[in-house]
Amino acid sequence: MKKMSEEVQGFKIEIKNLSKSFGVTEVLKDINLTVEPGEFIALVGQSGCGKSTLLRLISHLEKPTDGKIALDDLEVKKINPAVRYLFQEARLLPWKTVWENVALGSKDRSKEKAEIALQEVSLADKAEEWPSVLSGGQKQRVSLARALIGEPKLLLLDEPLGALDALTRINMQILIEKLWKEQGFTVVLVTHDVGEAVYLADRVVLVEDGKISLDKKITLARPRVKDNNFAYFERFILNKVMKNGEDIANEVADQTYAI
Amino acid sequence: MKNKIQVTDIILAWSIPLIGLVLWFVVTLHQNSASLFPPPTDVFTAVKRLIKDGTLAENIEISAARGAVGFIIGGVIGFLLGVINGQILIAEKILNTPIQMIRNVPHLALLPLILIWFGIGETAKVVLISLGTFFPIYLNTFHGIRYVDSSLIEMGKTYGLTRFELFKDIIFPGAMSSIMIGIRQSLGRMWLTLIVAETVAAKSGIGFMATNAREFMLMDVIVLSLIIYALLGSLSDFVAGLIEKRILRWHANYRKA
Ligand SMILES: Nc1ncnc2c1ncn2[C@@H]1O[C@H](COP(=O)(O)OP(=O)(O)OP(=O)(O)O)[C@@H](O)[C@H]1O
Ligand SMILES: [Mg+2]
């Protein structure tokens, strides 16, 4: 399964002076960010800080108010089928069987390819089922297979594991890392879970008040183990995330003492 | 196991009509055919008579054909309007008001006008049935399309589906259960319109058979006509149910989950 790492190179993402407003609310302010081909970055930040908006801009579901986004030096002007978006919910079509849902991701809708993609996520035996009989984790794996079947160059993951239980999450993280290594696409992962970000990403980017306030390389060897170094990165980023909510954090701390 | 359930289902579904039949038999036991309510045996002989001279088959065929043609024309128009208005905002703004106006005039009230325009030929009846059937299909198609889960449409867009593929793979199947409701409602209106049209203005069909029988006080034929209408109505609903089960296979599972 190693075959693709040479053929499919990930997209390079270049974001220059990107701003996005909805009416009068400015969600993203002058964002600059470069992601190298095949790099895995994680976006973290408080709820509502604009992480999903940034992903939607990269995939052209939204248009920038100002600034530019380029993939491999080509400005993003329309939805690019080599960019695949994984949402928090699996968004499978209930009226198509599992393999038909996966086949939606390839131009020729081939069943053969769908079955191969399902094998990658260990769901080959569910090909003929309706999505409604699958568990939450299985659904998310099907949507991962649907994203992978088109040999994407960029995977945008918007908290795809957010609704899963801890155990399923860990398995999904391992699966995503494995597929990423095999296939060489670029990944932008949005997550609320700093541990997940440190576990998976080459770089963790913190979005705060519509700006990038931290861009931290995770220099841990893979596969990562949750040792002291891991804990250092996790704590470091968590502290930065919470800095803005410092007052709240202090308050909570005071209360804890009071008790 | 599965068959057993179906058999009990059928028995349950037909239990009340069967009891009705028995009661009818008992109540009319000591009457003769000249009375106001003929016993089942009379109706049965009427069936035999009408089968023999061929009028029964002919009239059923004519009525069913009228109903089908009117239903298909009305249904297709309703479906297309529903799709257009459901997909194109400006079309809805222009077309919705006139469609609502047409709907608010009961279509049967148009009968005199239609008779003057088209005479009592086939066209008049087909036009009337089309008018009666287009609206439920229109409305349910429209709503079905409008309320398709927008997150699924967004997913389709990120996968680079063309407009046609979006419709074929996401919007149409998403609206299907609503469209089926429209089809069933329209079927009901189809029979209603057909009966009225054939009673008021026809020279053939089941409705005509009943009207004609009234002239000669053939009570058995009148009652027979009503029974045929009831049977045809439930037959069409049964067929619609089968189609629905087939098309919405996924839906049964969906609801169970
Ligand atoms: N279509 C829209 N119209 C108006 N405001 C919007 C729209 N989309 C997003 N916003 C606003 O932009 C801000 C950022 O939203 P976004 O969904 O990007 O946040 P997020 O960082 O993904 O949050 P979360 O972690 O909770 O998912 C929010 O304040 C939201 O209300
Ligand atoms: Mg979000």
Side-chain angles (χ1 to χ4, degrees), chain A residues 56 61 79-81 83-87 89 91-96 104-105 107 109 130 132 143 146-147, chain B residues 148 150-152 154-161 165 168-171 173-175 249-251 253-254 257:
Chain A
R56 295 171 64 82
L61 283 173
I79 286 173
N80 185 333
V83 176
R84 287 295 150 87
Y85 204 125
L86 239 69
F87 304 90
E89 338 79 63
R91 301 201 185 179
L92 303 178
L93 301 177
W95 44 84
K96 286 190 183 288
L104 206 70
K107 266 273 154 285
R109 307 257 173 117
W130 298 113
S132 54
S143 83
R146 180 178 63 191
Chain B
V148 170
S150 61
S151 71
L152 292 181
E154 188 178 79
M155 182 279 296
K157 283 185 183 157
T158 67
Y159 276 81
L161 299 193
E165 284 174 318
K168 173 176 73 81
D169 291 325
I170 301 180
I171 297 169
R249 272 171 322 192
W250 60 272
H251 207 263
N253 286 317
Y254 194 50

Side-chain angles (χ1 to χ4, degrees), chain A residues 22 25 27 45-54 62 159 192:
Chain A
F22 292 106
T25 45
V27 177
Q46 305 262 345
S47 178
C49 69
K51 304 179 296 289
S52 296
T53 305
L54 185 55
E62 303 277 359
E159 298 183 54
H192 272 126

